[in-house]
Amino acid sequence: MKRNILDKAYSLKSKCLAGDVSFGMTITTGNKEISEIVSNHGDIDFVLIDLEHTTIGLNNLHTILMGLNHTNIVPIVRIHSEEVSTIQRALDLGVGGIILPMVKSTHELEYKISLCKYPPQGIRGFGPKRAISYTSNANSYFSEANKSLITILLIEHIDAINEIDKILKVSGLDAVFIGPVDLALSMGLGIDGLDNNLELSEVVSSIIRSCKNSRIPLMMVAPSGKEQIMQLLNDGITLIGLGTDMAMFDAVLKEKLKNAKETLKSYSKKGDK
């Protein structure tokens, strides 16, 4: 049965707080077909829609959300770090959560979370349209939005680590997403060999420990498969991304081409006999 976005978001939030594991994936292409394909897979709990590193805009976002209409999948939007006006517009379109990237301080996080919350907890202006299915159900949305919608901090800069304990105490923070690549860049480490970089691993481990101590759910991605997922589970990560739509397409295409060429090679050998 279709549920409204607040029910879906609150259900995911409750699942996280209970320590249950949720799986999702990232959409990086702005077409409805991708979200419709994702909607065929009922075991997907959430999708991250990337507005920061892609050409997806608000019109594309609207289209993507339409593809997820009749599912229990929670759409969560990753905004551009400098385009905070997108927060309100995305929420009014009916997303279930916001990812706040490149936050470096407690003050910055407090301000950006305030944009996600209606008064008195925040300063979000009132004007949901699609979020209430264009109905007159505004009072219900207003009364439930602050507690239901998910606000996720993306930690990807070393400056945030320097005041991590204060950051994790900010009211309204629901989960932490660790971005190891940008984190490594902020540490001057480059992007090569990060899987085996001890300095980066120690920083990531410190974030995980701090979040566990503060009972803040953690999100990370595991695009390489079972072993990586197992490592995240062992680390206590409960929001696990399985990769992007384009990476999945690329991996399947490579595998199919490999199989096709191997089949052709076998066929050619057969013909030589």
Side-chain angles (χ1 to χ4, degrees):
M1 181 179 69
K2 178 187 175 183
R3 296 182 296 167
N4 69 49
I5 189 57
L6 296 184
D7 288 342
K8 292 191 285 187
Y10 189 72
S11 178
L12 180 62
K13 183 186 288 192
S14 299
K15 189 175 180 180
C16 292
L17 292 174
D20 296 329
V21 175
S22 300
F23 292 106
M25 54 89 64
T26 300
I27 290 180
T28 63
T29 52
N31 61 72
K32 186 179 178 182
E33 287 80 3
I34 293 294
S35 58
E36 286 180 328
I37 291 170
V38 174
S39 72
N40 291 329
H41 299 274
D43 291 337
I44 290 283
D45 298 294
F46 62 90
V47 294
L48 307 182
I49 305 169
D50 189 350
L51 271 63
E52 183 180 23
H53 293 293
T54 72
T55 59
I56 296 176
L58 289 171
N59 286 337
N60 302 125
L61 174 60
H62 190 178
T63 300
I64 292 167
L65 295 176
M66 289 170 63
L68 300 172
N69 259 357
H70 299 285
T71 75
N72 288 322
I73 299 170
V74 180
I76 301 171
V77 165
R78 174 174 174 165
I79 67 160
H80 189 283
S81 59
E82 302 300 324
E83 295 178 357
V84 292
S85 63
T86 305
I87 293 175
Q88 177 165 299
R89 299 172 77 186
L91 290 172
D92 287 348
L93 274 175
V95 305
I98 298 290
I99 293 176
L100 304 170
M102 204 54 75
V103 172
K104 302 176 186 178
S105 70
T106 304
H107 176 73
E108 183 181 0
L109 179 61
E110 288 173 339
Y111 171 65
K112 289 184 176 178
I113 287 181
S114 76
L115 296 173
C116 303
K117 306 289 186 181
Y118 288 126
Q121 286 87 2
I123 58 173
R124 178 185 173 189
F126 191 74
K129 298 295 186 293
R130 189 180 180 279
I132 57 173
S133 301
Y134 309 105
T135 67
S136 59
N137 198 25
N139 287 337
S140 176
Y141 183 87
F142 176 77
S143 64
E144 300 295 325
N146 282 359
K147 77 171 186 179
S148 299
L149 296 172
I150 303 168
T151 308
I152 301 173
L153 165 64
L154 177 51
I155 294 184
E156 52 182 347
H157 199 282
I158 193 63
D159 286 354
I161 311 303
N162 296 330
E163 50 181 294
I164 185 68
D165 292 332
K166 289 182 179 180
I167 282 176
L168 295 179
K169 291 178 182 177
V170 172
S171 177
L173 176 63
D174 297 309
V176 164
F177 185 4
I178 302 176
V181 178
D182 278 327
L183 180 57
L185 290 176
S186 76
M187 297 167 62
L189 299 178
I191 62 172
D192 292 330
L194 294 183
D195 289 342
N196 301 310
N197 189 289
L198 182 59
E199 186 178 356
L200 177 63
S201 295
E202 289 176 348
V203 172
V204 170
S205 294
S206 73
I207 299 170
I208 292 173
R209 285 194 302 271
S210 294
C211 288
K212 285 182 177 179
N213 291 337
S214 298
R215 299 181 62 83
I216 299 291
L218 281 153
M219 172 185 286
M220 289 189 75
V221 297
S224 61
K226 291 183 179 179
E227 290 186 7
Q228 195 173 20
I229 291 173
M230 182 61 73
Q231 181 61 55
L232 295 186
L233 292 172
N234 288 333
D235 287 339
I237 312 300
T238 55
L239 290 159
I240 299 177
L242 304 178
T244 71
D245 47 7
M246 288 296 95
M248 292 177 184
F249 176 81
D250 181 63
V252 171
L253 181 57
K254 284 180 180 176
E255 184 65 21
K256 287 188 175 294
L257 281 171
K258 177 184 175 184
N259 292 340
K261 290 179 179 180
E262 288 176 352
T263 302
L264 177 60
K265 187 176 181 180
S266 298
Y267 175 79
S268 299
K269 286 182 179 179
K270 181 179 179 181
D272 292 339
K273 293 180 180 180

